[in-house]
Amino acid sequence: MAAKKKTNQDCIFCQIVAGKIPASVRFEDEEMLAFDDINPHAPIHVLVIPKKHIESLTHITKQEEALMGRLIYRCRELARELNIADSGYRVTINVGRWGGQIVPHLHLHLLGGAPLTERLGMYSEAKMTIGARE
Ligand code: 5GP
Ligand code: ZN
């Protein structure tokens, strides 16, 4: 199997990893980066991403199984640091077009700081029709 490209020049998140686009970084180590979402959907909205370019959850392999665990664990640590662990928070991964993924570089949303709505699986029938035609 061909080796996965580590970065993608056209990818916004790869450019953040490379320091070419500024971001409010909350955590960084050799394999991941966490930074504030530019358009927050809650008082606390942090994105946790692997540094290597992986398009989505669908694109991970068995090799990245442990990495996924560490990304989720990092959300847990950040939630504690940001004082939202006790009140509660949400960790979300949007996957692909119908999953609402806009940036094609795997990322976990850590959302909290206010009571979040229960509307987890809302969907749009209108968009479904458009999607079916694409
Ligand atoms: P998605 O819809 O793909 O799951 O979420 C992508 C998220 O990335 C969105 O919440 C959006 O606000 C955020 N985002 C897009 N471009 C940038 C950027 O240049 N910087 C930061 N910090 N966040 C971004
Ligand atoms: Zn990327």
Side-chain angles (χ1 to χ4, degrees):
M1 199 172 83
K4 215 176 270 176
K5 267 205 280 177
K6 285 218 161 150
T7 57
N8 180 336
Q9 304 260 334
D10 304 324
C11 170
I12 293 170
F13 288 176
C14 282
Q15 289 182 48
I16 289 176
V17 169
K20 290 179 186 159
I21 295 177
S24 294
V25 172
R26 297 273 184 186
F27 176 84
E28 179 169 18
D29 68 10
E30 64 284 347
E31 66 177 357
M32 71 179 83
L33 190 68
F35 52 93
D36 288 338
D37 195 293
I38 204 167
N39 180 26
H41 289 239
I44 288 170
H45 188 171
V46 179
L47 301 171
V48 180
I49 70 168
K51 284 189 170 177
K52 79 171 162 183
H53 183 82
I54 303 170
E55 191 172 322
S56 80
L57 185 62
T58 299
H59 295 79
I60 67 162
T61 64
K62 188 80 181 157
Q63 264 190 319
E64 280 104 26
E65 195 180 15
L67 169 64
M68 287 310 299
R70 291 192 291 274
L71 292 171
I72 293 172
Y73 191 81
R74 185 49 47 193
C75 290
R76 183 253 191 204
E77 292 290 271
L78 284 164
R80 284 161 61 96
E81 287 164 21
L82 295 167
N83 292 315
I84 57 171
D86 290 341
S87 54
Y89 55 93
R90 184 171 293 159
V91 175
T92 306
I93 304 177
N94 294 330
V95 185
R97 194 158 42 99
W98 279 11
Q101 183 178 5
I102 291 166
V103 177
H105 180 130
L106 174 66
H107 50 280
L108 287 71
H109 295 261
L110 169 63
L111 296 146
L116 301 170
T117 96
E118 290 164 18
R119 297 179 181 179
L120 198 56
M122 291 296 283
Y123 64 92
S124 154
E125 295 205 11
K127 282 188 181 168
M128 236 166 114
T129 318
I130 293 162
R133 272 198 266 118
E134 275 172 10

